[in-house]
Amino acid sequence: MATHANVNLPLPVLPEGWSGEKDFKAIGSISAATQRSIEPVGPHFLAHARRARHKRTFSEDDRIQAQENAKKVEDDDSGEISEPEDPSMLLRDAKDWKQQDHYAVLGLSKYRYRATEDQIKRAHRKKVLKHHPDKRAAAGGTEDDSFFKCIQKATEVLLDPIKRRQFDSVDERADVEPPSKKAAKDGKYYKLWSATFKAEGRFSKVQPVPKFGDEKSTKEEVDAFYNFFYNFDSWRSFEYQDEDVPDDNENRDQKRHMERKNNNARKKKKTEDSARLRKLVDDAMAGDARIKQFRQEANASKNKKKLDKEQAERDAKEAKEKEKAKAEQDKKDAEEKAKIERESNKKNKEQAKAAVKKNRRVMKGSVKDANYFVEGEAPASAINAVLADVETIQGKIDADETAELADKLRDLKLAADIKKVWTAEAKRLVDASKIKASDIKTLA
Amino acid sequence: MSAEEAPAQGATPGERIAIGISFGNSNSSIAVTSFDDKAEVIANEDGDRQIPTIISYVDGEEYNGQQAKQQLIRNYKNTVAYFRDYLGQDFKSIDPTHSHFSAHPKEHDSTIAFTIQDKEEGEPSTVTVSEIATRHLRRLKQSASDYTGKQVNSAVITIPTNFSEKQKAALTKAAADAGLEVLQLIHEPIAALLAYDARPESKVADKNVVVADLGGTRSDVAVIASRGGIYTILATAHDYEYAGVQLDKVLQDHFAKDFIKWHGTDPREDQRSMAKLKLESEATKKALSIGTNANFSVESLAEGADYASTINRLRYETIARKVLDGFNRLIEGVVEKAGLDVLEIDEVILSGGTSHTPKIAKNFAAIFPESTTILAPSTTPTAINPSELQARGAALQASLIQEYETEDIDQSTHPAVTTVKHLTNAVGVLSITGDESKGIFTPILSAETAVPARRTIHINVPKEGGDVLVKIVEGGSHIKVTKEEPAETNGNKDDSDEDSDDEPEERREKIWKVGKVLAEASVKDTKKGGKVEVMINVAGDLAVTVTAREVGAKGGVRGTLSAP
Ligand SMILES: Nc1ncnc2c1ncn2[C@@H]1O[C@H](COP(=O)(O)OP(=O)(O)OP(=O)(O)O)[C@@H](O)[C@H]1O
């Protein structure tokens, strides 16, 4: 085609680092295709044919092969809708159309409410081909057309969506009877009830309808099923079973009376039908092993919870007691430890005290060794003055400093060295403003 | 057989005078193409373009068309009607319903025949359906010859899509016996589509078309993939329950009941009264397609009583509702059968006489989205007369192939030529981003395109130009349904109770899902505001050639993908 479409939405920018051989990357192949027949009509087809033929000549075999490969568009009418006709049905009178099984008349017994409009039309045509009175007459038969009228009536009802619903509403042949208790016991419980509820589901305004399920269904599924059917919204109605209302204008009262009667009958039947369904659901539920199982499971889980709770309480109590015991033990231990500590502290202190005493002795000894920093016999005043200073300093230093000072003094013999240590110490304390310079008289 | 009919098979292409014929159960029409290849439906000597498919004999004299139709009242036994579908069938498989008020079909020598008094004297003859068809076709051929002034000797004839090989063979023979070489039998919906596509203003495109052929005794619907002028039927439906005669019946019953009220007799119980009722009901029905009111008037309808009444269109549409609804369900069903959604249908062509009914087109317009063109007289002023589509299409096809040797036509229409692969998915390109989950898919080739096929698009580059990525992917269409809460009454509180039906509106839209990635290509250094041309060529074996280049620039990228 020469023409081309224009697209306004822009192409993407080439991603960073994209590369392809000669700017092209083959990634996949086209998904499989369908063989179909194109119509050999129009100028464009002729162009196609010219290209496709290549001066070849196609044979009958080619034809058959090609036709077999092409996807069929036309439906094959044969088969599908065919069931034997009940001879007594053929004798029906169309006047009794209300009692007639429209599906059976058209050969759709096994489809019923499931029959599609297309199937109904095909079925009708099939019956017309067979039963049209003109055909019978032409074939030398009678012109009796009563069954043909039945066919027409059935088609009229089934092709009219409203009439069909009315008929389907009362089409009990589509019902699947609930299983007897015995039948249900033979391991077919789910299968049988499934069929019953599948049939009941046809009346639901809400589609799709949840399935009855089987022993493998989950609790949610089973609950959803029963909830659905306990809240069933049904389109079923019963006007099909109305009594005929007289069609003449003369008997107005009679007519109104009949209409009222019909209306009441419809209502009553509708109520009965709801009750019927409810009972059906009750019955199914009563025998439903899954319900029992879920209940047991629920109970078991309730019991388990209780046990768990008690256990937990026990555990908690135990833990608490353990904790208490432990706390007591800890307390005891701590007390013990404190006592020991206290005792050892006392000893340390005593030792320290002794050390201080000893160190102080060293200190006092040092000034004595230095002869109180005087030549000759030291007068009492000098001794007192020096010792006063020593005591002042001793009073301001702690045990460690005392030990340190004592260490420095211990091995000194010369008065000058001793004095130096003392004046340094005095200076240190004065600098640290622990003592005033004026407090020191001799060791400055 | 007269001398002029002899060379039915023998005419050489040069000697052919070909026409298009639509041959329905109810009506037939003939069309010719003029020198400028325009097709035109021509009138017969009675001035009718819709020629009733009826043959009738009065005192040995043969009548056809409208004149024969009038004979249904007084001479129904020697009048043959609604016989097209009997051709090539055995008695077991025909539906004789519509022939009930004319000559009845009978089984005869494993074929079907009618017993009619077709000669002035003597015993009635048994005339086979094949011979009846021949006589009818001969009349059509004569009308066409009279109109063109040349001896017509060949034709393209339209047939339903479900005609069997036997039916085709029978029709071909009946035509040959009438001195008409059948150049080709073509499907009715395709002829209708061709008639539209051949108009000078229509463009070759890729589109999905529904052709609803609503006739007198049957309704046939086809969904057609139209791809570059190549047509593929995706699905069909054939309905014998809802068609023109059922609409006639609605009016028959309506007026019959009214007549009973006045006169106490049911005109439907007497053959002649019924024939009159039928003819007038059809006339009234047709009048209701044009006007909003129509008369119904019959002299001596039953027991000598005249009857006249009127009906308006609204009333008619009400009483005909069941049949009209049937058409709706039919068309919806076949779209679904084709695996498509109404959103994917581009055109609906209404074809066949019943398609004149305005309400049908209106109903269809409601089923399909606004973007779908409904081609019917009441919805599209330029629509072609639905009764003429098929004959026109047939004439167009006749003019296309009449120069071909018969052998050539045979070979060209051979299944080996017509059976081809069709793409399952659309193939297209991603816009805006190369990320498959975010890029926007634009189809280049649609699904159901017959291969080989080639399509080209022009696509913008980003504003600034530069290097661009051409990513070729497959795409599938999906219908996204979003429930829209009715818009909050924004502002205007006064009219808040207008259309306040609180149903959440369902919005349905067609979206593309990106499938398999087929290829990537880069086009370098594109200019600001430039465009890239992407061409995809799919070969008959599904091998693909992709070319991409900046429009107006030299060179470009080219790559191939192997067949799957
Ligand atoms: N203007 C109109 N309005 C309504 N219906 C019409 C109109 N014109 C024709 N018809 C109806 O169209 C039907 C005939 O359609 P058409 O001419 O397409 O017949 P056909 O193709 O021979 O049909 P078939 O093969 O299905 O019987 C008749 O029922 C006729 O009444």
Side-chain angles (χ1 to χ4, degrees):
Chain A
M1 283 198 300
T3 49
H4 55 77
N6 278 308
V7 181
N8 290 327
L9 284 175
L11 286 168
V13 172
L14 194 67
E16 206 69 42
W18 187 95
S19 78
E21 197 187 326
K22 287 184 179 162
D23 288 341
F24 186 85
K25 263 203 296 205
I27 298 170
S29 290
I30 271 188
S31 299
T34 322
Q35 291 268 11
R36 294 183 185 273
S37 297
I38 56 175
E39 297 291 310
V41 173
H44 298 274
F45 171 77
L46 287 182
H48 162 84
R50 259 194 304 277
R51 284 191 302 266
R53 285 174 62 198
H54 289 309
K55 298 202 181 84
R56 261 180 298 166
T57 306
F58 298 106
S59 67
E60 195 53 31
D61 282 350
D62 297 333
R63 173 189 305 275
I64 293 161
Q65 207 186 347
Q67 277 168 339
E68 271 175 1
N69 286 337
K71 184 163 178 177
K72 302 256 178 313
V73 175
E74 296 298 332
D75 305 302
D76 185 6
D77 277 297
S78 58
E80 195 185 5
I81 306 153
S82 61
E83 62 186 38
E85 291 170 334
D86 179 350
S88 69
M89 182 177 77
L90 299 179
L91 301 174
R92 285 200 70 93
D93 189 335
K95 282 202 188 76
D96 303 330
W97 65 272
K98 281 248 169 170
Q99 275 68 50
Q100 153 180 319
D101 176 355
H102 302 309
Y103 291 112
V105 166
L106 292 185
L108 293 167
S109 299
K110 58 173 182 282
Y111 296 97
R112 310 211 82 86
Y113 64 94
R114 287 186 305 271
T116 64
E117 180 165 0
D118 195 46
Q119 281 175 319
I120 294 165
K121 285 176 181 171
R122 284 161 194 269
H124 176 226
R125 191 161 170 79
K126 258 198 160 163
K127 293 292 172 189
V128 169
L129 297 190
K130 190 163 174 197
H131 294 285
H132 197 287
D134 287 356
K135 275 179 120 168
R136 291 209 204 171
T142 60
E143 234 175 281
D144 167 29
D145 63 350
S146 58
F147 184 62
F148 185 67
K149 284 191 177 137
C150 296
I151 293 170
Q152 299 304 75
K153 195 69 207 181
T155 311
E156 184 196 318
V157 170
L158 296 183
L159 281 184
D160 180 332
I162 295 169
K163 285 189 189 158
R164 184 174 178 192
R165 276 226 148 160
Q166 294 176 354
F167 174 69
D168 281 345
S169 280
V170 298
D171 182 14
E172 284 170 4
R173 299 168 198 89
D175 287 347
V176 176
E177 286 298 312
S180 67
K181 282 217 174 89
K182 188 176 170 296
K185 266 201 184 116
D186 296 343
K188 286 195 190 147
Y189 187 85
Y190 299 109
K191 208 176 142 212
L192 294 172
W193 276 110
S194 285
T196 303
F197 281 109
K198 195 175 166 206
E200 287 298 331
R202 72 190 191 271
F203 298 120
S204 176
K205 282 185 192 162
V206 184
Q207 296 285 348
V209 174
K211 289 201 172 71
F212 187 68
D214 55 24
E215 68 277 359
K216 285 194 280 295
S217 304
T218 65
K219 183 170 188 302
E220 286 71 33
E221 285 164 347
V222 175
D223 284 349
F225 171 84
Y226 282 108
N227 277 336
F228 187 93
F229 272 89
Y230 275 124
N231 297 301
F232 198 79
D233 192 3
S234 165
W235 50 258
R236 198 170 190 189
S237 63
F238 294 89
E239 52 274 72
Y240 199 84
Q241 292 165 341
D242 279 356
E243 281 180 57
D244 287 341
V245 176
D247 200 15
D248 49 36
N249 291 334
E250 279 144 50
N251 231 331
R252 289 249 180 113
D253 288 342
Q254 168 79 0
K255 192 174 164 184
R256 224 169 288 147
H257 170 71
M258 281 307 293
E259 277 170 356
R260 216 174 303 130
K261 203 171 144 197
N262 277 335
N263 255 332
N264 289 338
R266 285 185 204 170
K267 266 189 214 137
K268 185 160 168 263
K269 284 175 188 160
K270 179 88 182 162
T271 313
E272 284 167 359
D273 187 53
S274 302
R276 179 194 62 84
L277 180 63
R278 201 163 317 118
K279 169 143 191 331
L280 203 65
V281 184
D282 286 344
D283 289 351
M285 201 172 191
D288 196 334
R290 295 172 303 182
I291 298 286
K292 269 184 218 127
Q293 191 196 331
F294 294 143
R295 200 172 293 142
Q296 276 166 7
E297 277 170 12
N299 282 343
S301 100
K302 222 200 258 161
N303 277 342
K304 187 163 178 296
K305 263 190 207 139
K306 201 172 144 201
L307 291 176
D308 283 353
K309 202 174 150 199
E310 285 170 4
Q311 182 66 41
E313 275 167 7
R314 265 200 306 279
D315 287 353
K317 203 169 151 198
E318 228 164 72
K320 224 176 182 174
E321 272 163 11
K322 250 188 202 159
E323 216 168 89
K324 205 170 141 195
K326 186 171 179 282
E328 272 165 17
Q329 184 65 43
D330 284 354
K331 201 174 155 200
K332 235 176 174 172
D333 290 354
E335 275 168 9
E336 200 92 332
K337 201 174 151 199
K339 198 171 154 196
I340 293 168
E341 231 160 60
R342 253 193 331 270
E343 275 164 13
S344 84
N345 269 357
K346 205 167 150 190
K347 220 184 259 164
N348 281 350
K349 263 187 199 154
E350 274 163 12
Q351 278 173 359
K353 249 189 207 158
V356 168
K357 258 186 198 159
K358 201 173 141 201
N359 286 332
R360 282 188 181 164
R361 260 198 310 278
V362 171
M363 289 176 197
K364 285 192 178 150
S366 76
V367 287
K368 191 180 171 206
D369 288 347
N371 197 34
Y372 306 104
F373 310 117
V374 288
E375 299 291 319
E377 187 79 13
S381 61
I383 297 171
N384 279 342
V386 171
L387 285 178
D389 280 357
V390 168
E391 271 161 22
T392 302
I393 290 171
Q394 278 178 345
K396 292 298 171 191
I397 57 178
D398 64 21
D400 289 343
E401 286 166 324
T402 305
E404 207 178 315
L405 186 58
D407 278 350
K408 284 182 193 160
L409 294 170
R410 191 163 285 133
D411 298 319
L412 293 182
K413 293 283 174 276
L414 290 175
D417 290 345
I418 295 167
K419 175 113 187 228
K420 217 163 148 194
V421 171
W422 280 111
T423 50
E425 182 66 16
K427 189 176 180 313
R428 188 180 70 82
L429 290 171
V430 171
D431 286 351
S433 16
K434 288 212 175 133
I435 53 174
K436 286 185 218 137
S438 58
D439 290 343
I440 301 299
K441 306 283 178 332
T442 58
L443 297 176
Chain B
M1 197 183 282
S2 59
E4 59 184 36
E5 288 168 5
Q9 297 294 343
T12 64
E15 297 166 346
R16 279 196 196 121
I17 307 289
I19 57 170
I21 298 178
S22 123
F23 177 11
N25 287 298
S26 307
N27 294 298
S28 298
S29 24
I30 42 183
V32 293
T33 46
S34 48
F35 60 94
D36 57 352
D37 281 344
K38 273 208 186 106
E40 182 193 359
V41 173
I42 58 179
N44 68 359
E45 53 282 11
D46 300 328
D48 292 324
R49 286 186 171 76
Q50 299 310 310
I51 304 162
T53 304
I54 306 180
I55 289 276
S56 181
Y57 293 88
V58 183
D59 302 331
E61 182 121 14
E62 183 182 273
Y63 294 89
N64 83 321
Q66 201 53 50
Q67 295 192 31
K69 195 167 183 175
Q70 287 306 317
Q71 293 300 321
L72 287 170
I73 298 174
R74 259 167 248 284
N75 184 30
Y76 71 97
K77 284 193 170 140
N78 296 314
T79 303
V80 185
Y82 299 111
F83 56 83
R84 198 270 322 262
D85 281 354
Y86 302 156
L87 270 172
Q89 300 264 52
D90 54 9
F91 188 69
K92 213 171 72 237
S93 33
I94 63 158
D95 173 7
T97 304
H98 302 290
S99 297
H100 184 67
F101 298 98
S102 56
H104 288 190
K106 292 195 308 190
E107 186 156 29
H108 173 77
D109 285 351
S110 79
T111 177
I112 290 150
F114 302 87
T115 302
I116 48 173
Q117 185 71 48
D118 63 341
K119 296 184 207 67
E120 202 172 353
E121 280 157 25
E123 287 295 297
S125 342
T126 297
V127 186
T128 63
V129 65
S130 173
E131 173 60 18
I132 292 290
T134 297
R135 292 179 188 182
H136 171 65
L137 290 166
R138 193 181 284 138
R139 296 294 296 250
L140 296 178
K141 174 187 135 178
Q142 193 53 50
S143 297
S145 299
D146 290 348
Y147 179 88
T148 56
K150 289 180 214 142
Q151 193 56 46
V152 170
N153 54 20
S154 49
V156 168
I157 306 179
T158 61
I159 53 166
T161 57
N162 64 346
F163 244 34
S164 68
E165 291 305 319
K166 269 173 91 181
Q167 287 173 291
K168 290 182 210 170
L171 175 55
T172 305
K173 177 174 184 305
D177 290 347
L180 283 171
E181 179 196 3
V182 174
L183 299 179
Q184 194 184 352
L185 298 174
I186 66 171
H187 289 145
E188 290 166 347
I190 301 298
L193 180 50
L194 182 63
Y196 269 108
D197 278 356
R199 297 197 298 182
E201 65 266 33
S202 54
K203 293 196 179 68
V204 180
D206 291 344
K207 56 191 177 180
N208 292 328
V209 184
V210 172
V211 178
D213 175 8
L214 312 177
T217 62
R218 51 189 284 175
S219 294
D220 300 279
V221 190
V223 180
I224 302 161
S226 168
R227 304 283 184 268
I230 300 280
Y231 307 128
T232 307
I233 296 178
L234 301 177
T236 62
H238 310 284
D239 189 340
Y240 307 89
E241 305 289 344
Y242 302 113
V245 295
Q246 278 76 26
L247 291 172
D248 294 344
K249 186 167 180 299
V250 166
L251 288 171
Q252 288 157 28
D253 292 344
H254 172 78
F255 291 116
K257 279 183 194 149
D258 192 46
F259 186 84
I260 294 170
K261 255 190 219 155
W262 295 98
H263 302 281
T265 39
D266 188 343
R268 291 170 297 187
E269 276 164 9
D270 173 72
Q271 188 278 324
R272 190 175 291 188
S273 301
M274 185 63 184
K276 287 181 180 173
L277 189 64
K278 277 169 82 84
L279 284 179
E280 186 63 6
S281 291
E282 190 183 358
T284 303
K285 176 186 75 174
K286 288 185 186 175
L288 283 168
S289 290
I290 306 163
T292 49
N293 262 296
N295 293 321
F296 179 97
S297 152
V298 182
E299 268 178 43
S300 176
L301 177 55
E303 297 190 339
D306 294 350
Y307 176 77
S309 181
T310 60
I311 185 167
N312 67 31
R313 192 188 279 171
L314 205 62
R315 177 101 184 99
Y316 165 59
E317 287 168 355
T318 310
I319 60 178
R321 172 124 174 252
K322 260 185 225 168
V323 183
L324 297 173
D325 284 354
F327 294 132
N328 296 345
R329 294 197 302 275
L330 180 68
I331 201 163
E332 286 174 313
V334 70
V335 170
E336 192 186 317
K337 198 168 159 193
L340 294 174
D341 187 272
V342 288
L343 293 175
E344 296 174 282
I345 303 299
D346 302 288
E347 254 175 47
V348 178
I349 294 176
L350 276 93
S351 165
T354 299
S355 288
H356 286 279
T357 313
K359 183 68 177 174
I360 296 175
K362 205 171 157 199
N363 286 344
F364 287 2
I367 291 173
F368 291 91
E370 255 167 66
S371 53
T372 308
T373 312
I374 309 286
L375 289 162
S378 58
T379 49
T380 307
T382 54
I384 301 174
N385 182 344
S387 296
E388 298 190 352
L389 285 168
Q390 295 175 8
R392 282 168 77 145
L396 289 163
Q397 180 67 6
S399 81
L400 282 174
I401 61 171
Q402 64 180 340
E403 308 292 333
Y404 283 66
E405 297 288 344
T406 308
E407 169 69 11
D408 252 7
I409 299 174
D410 254 21
Q411 283 288 309
S412 296
T413 58
H414 194 285
V417 174
T418 58
T419 308
V420 297
K421 291 195 171 78
H422 287 64
L423 299 181
T424 312
N425 299 310
V427 178
V429 65
L430 282 189
S431 279
I432 299 183
T433 161
D435 177 349
E436 289 113 69
S437 60
K438 295 203 195 87
I440 293 170
F441 177 82
T442 300
I444 301 177
L445 282 145
S446 310
E448 302 301 356
T449 299
V451 295
R454 187 176 66 200
R455 296 288 186 278
T456 306
I457 59 158
H458 284 185
I459 178 163
N460 284 354
V461 302
K463 270 204 197 87
E464 298 309 314
D467 297 351
V468 295
L469 174 71
V470 177
K471 187 160 188 166
I472 306 294
V473 295
E474 287 190 309
S477 64
H478 290 264
I479 303 302
K480 195 176 129 198
V481 183
T482 32
K483 285 242 159 64
E484 270 185 351
E485 291 304 323
E488 288 285 327
T489 43
N490 20 341
N492 258 341
K493 279 193 185 105
D494 308 275
D495 46 32
S496 61
D497 41 11
E498 263 181 67
D499 47 330
S500 63
D501 46 299
D502 285 311
E503 289 277 308
E505 285 241 349
E506 230 184 40
R507 209 183 64 186
R508 307 176 72 252
E509 56 190 329
K510 175 175 158 170
I511 52 159
W512 286 103
K513 271 206 186 142
V514 176
K516 203 164 155 188
V517 179
L518 299 180
E520 288 179 353
S522 65
V523 179
K524 302 275 171 64
D525 286 330
T526 62
K527 287 195 288 288
K528 260 189 185 178
K531 278 177 190 301
V532 168
E533 178 186 273
V534 181
M535 188 179 81
I536 299 183
N537 196 344
V538 183
D541 63 353
L542 299 177
V544 180
T545 308
V546 179
T547 55
R549 63 179 182 93
E550 185 171 7
V551 175
K554 286 221 174 71
V557 192
R558 182 189 166 88
T560 55
L561 306 173
S562 55

